[in-house]
Amino acid sequence: MDHTLNKRRIPSAEMRANLIAKHNNKCAMCSISGEQIPLELASITPLHQGGSMAEENFLLLCPNCHRYMDMGPKEIEFVNFLYQVLKETSPNQNIQLEAIIGESQRARADILIEDSRKAKILIECKSNKAITRSHSSKIIEQILEYGKLIGECKKVLAIPGRLPNEIKHNIESHDIEVWDADYLIKNFKAGIQKADSSYFKMLLTAIAGEQEGSRDRDLLGKLKACNPGRKDCYLYQGLIGEIIEELFCPPLDKPIQEVNDFTKSNRRDFIVPNYATDGFWSFLREKYSADYVVVDAKNYSRKVKKSDVLQIANYLKPHGAGLFGIIFSRNGGDSAGCLHTIREQWMVHQKLILVLDDTDVENMLLSSGGAEDLIGAKIEEFRLSM
């Protein structure tokens, strides 16, 4: 935990007492007793990366598990977690972990199930917090190749989060089932509850909404209750202000609302000052001139078009707010004018503009990595597509 934080960013004694009672004075991961070793409060989403001071953002951990949490989970850990969940759910099924498949050509499948009717289920696991379009194409190719090695089987991609509808539908169009967080919670809830305490168990439990009073889930509920269209445009704008403050601040300063440039011809919904001295946001400032994060909120029932991109691009200036902007819109951008204009602004003017839809916002609110993982993945996908 960052001991350089001032007192306003240190968990209170009351919070510590509540967490000790909640976890029976045991490490939430390995269950070692606090009577044997001093336990620490660990933030699930680090405070310097936008994590809140709410109690549900903290766990009681031993020093070893605290270091493990800070390093982040590996993909094999999600494979092992799902294997345990499946074994707990269907103990009599033949479930193989890291099964060798194929004859003349061999490969290693994450999980292979043979049910009572001898039907086979191939499960490929990905622990990525954000799967891009280009990454999903490679995953599809891999699963289809594994399917050829096995022969007739049900093919499954398992992930601990959610996918944008476009990517999910593309995967499903290749006859691959998607077992996302919602599917896992709905179909394997008992197995998840029986599984050992882990990062993925905590993540799925949080998504299931079993912990009351979460600020993130409250914001998500408001987002789903806000109707796309002109009538709720001001409600949506105010809600996006709350969401970016929850996700970005700190390390960013609080958003400044409805700012005009000098000519007063260009007005943006929010400007978020970026004075971060290290980490992801510092990298964005240095690499993409993100001295300020410029934000537009579009409560459209349609997709973002070329004109919407040009509106925010007109505000981005190297000696003004900087060159990095985000458009929040309910349904993302269209694949023609919007994407073409975003590419043009980057190639000609070095202005980097992202469009985030409702699914992206939901993933940021529910993911332990918050905004940084998804925004980083979006930038990576965009740069590698050039």
Side-chain angles (χ1 to χ4, degrees), residues 134 146 174 188 267 272-273 288 294 328-329 349 354 356 358:
S134 58
Y146 283 5
H174 290 82
F188 306 115
R267 188 183 76 178
V272 190
Y288 297 104
V294 181
F328 285 83
S329 186
H349 305 291
L354 302 180
L356 305 181
D358 279 3

Side-chain angles (χ1 to χ4, degrees), residues 290-339:
D291 299 317
Y292 298 84
V293 179
V294 181
V295 176
D296 263 358
K298 303 292 188 184
N299 194 39
Y300 295 153
S301 55
R302 64 167 173 85
K303 291 181 179 291
V304 167
K305 298 181 178 179
K306 174 181 179 178
S307 58
D308 304 306
V309 177
L310 291 176
Q311 282 179 3
I312 194 170
N314 288 337
Y315 197 97
L316 299 177
K317 301 179 179 71
H319 300 294
L323 301 176
F324 180 65
I326 301 176
I327 300 174
F328 285 83
S329 186
R330 310 307 297 271
N331 298 299
D334 66 35
S335 57
C338 174
L339 180 58

Side-chain angles (χ1 to χ4, degrees), residues 171-338:
I171 293 172
E172 292 175 336
S173 72
H174 290 82
D175 197 28
I176 300 171
E177 286 190 12
V178 175
W179 290 6
D180 60 6
D182 296 319
Y183 183 96
L184 296 175
I185 292 165
K186 179 180 178 181
N187 292 276
F188 306 115
K189 184 175 182 180
I192 292 171
Q193 291 174 340
K194 293 178 182 177
D196 296 336
S197 181
S198 69
Y199 167 86
F200 294 107
K201 179 175 181 177
M202 290 181 286
L203 176 62
L204 293 177
T205 300
I207 293 175
E210 293 179 356
Q211 297 173 2
E212 299 298 328
S214 166
R215 170 64 172 161
D216 294 341
R217 285 191 296 278
D218 177 57
L219 290 171
L220 185 56
K222 290 181 180 179
L223 180 65
K224 292 182 176 180
C226 182
N227 297 316
R230 183 180 297 274
K231 182 178 180 181
D232 284 358
C233 66
Y234 292 114
L235 291 177
Y236 181 70
Q237 180 179 322
L239 180 57
I240 290 300
E242 293 183 60
I243 288 171
I244 59 178
E245 183 173 349
E246 179 70 18
L247 291 172
F248 297 175
C249 310
L252 305 191
D253 282 13
K254 288 188 176 183
I256 305 169
Q257 190 168 3
E258 294 187 337
V259 182
N260 296 306
D261 63 6
F262 179 73
T263 65
K264 299 189 183 299
S265 58
N266 300 303
R267 188 183 76 178
R268 300 282 58 86
D269 292 331
F270 299 98
I271 304 294
V272 190
N274 178 10
Y275 301 122
T277 57
D278 56 21
F280 176 78
W281 292 106
S282 176
F283 170 79
L284 279 192
R285 190 180 70 247
E286 294 171 6
K287 182 67 178 178
Y288 297 104
S289 300
D291 299 317
Y292 298 84
V293 179
V294 181
V295 176
D296 263 358
K298 303 292 188 184
N299 194 39
Y300 295 153
S301 55
R302 64 167 173 85
K303 291 181 179 291
V304 167
K305 298 181 178 179
K306 174 181 179 178
S307 58
D308 304 306
V309 177
L310 291 176
Q311 282 179 3
I312 194 170
N314 288 337
Y315 197 97
L316 299 177
K317 301 179 179 71
H319 300 294
L323 301 176
F324 180 65
I326 301 176
I327 300 174
F328 285 83
S329 186
R330 310 307 297 271
N331 298 299
D334 66 35
S335 57
C338 174

Side-chain angles (χ1 to χ4, degrees), residues 356-369:
L356 305 181
D357 61 18
D358 279 3
T359 301
D360 296 323
V361 174
E362 181 173 355
N363 284 333
M364 288 192 293
L365 287 170
L366 296 178
S367 167
S368 67

Side-chain angles (χ1 to χ4, degrees), residues 120-135:
K120 294 181 179 179
I121 304 173
L122 165 69
I123 304 175
E124 177 67 19
C125 300
K126 297 296 178 185
S127 64
N128 306 60
K129 297 170 185 173
I131 294 179
T132 64
R133 188 180 297 105
S134 58
H135 188 196

Side-chain angles (χ1 to χ4, degrees), residues 130-153:
I131 294 179
T132 64
R133 188 180 297 105
S134 58
H135 188 196
S136 67
S137 298
K138 296 175 183 176
I139 294 172
I140 291 170
E141 182 180 344
Q142 178 185 358
I143 294 175
L144 293 179
E145 285 297 318
Y146 283 5
K148 292 177 183 177
L149 295 177
I150 295 174
E152 185 175 351
C153 66

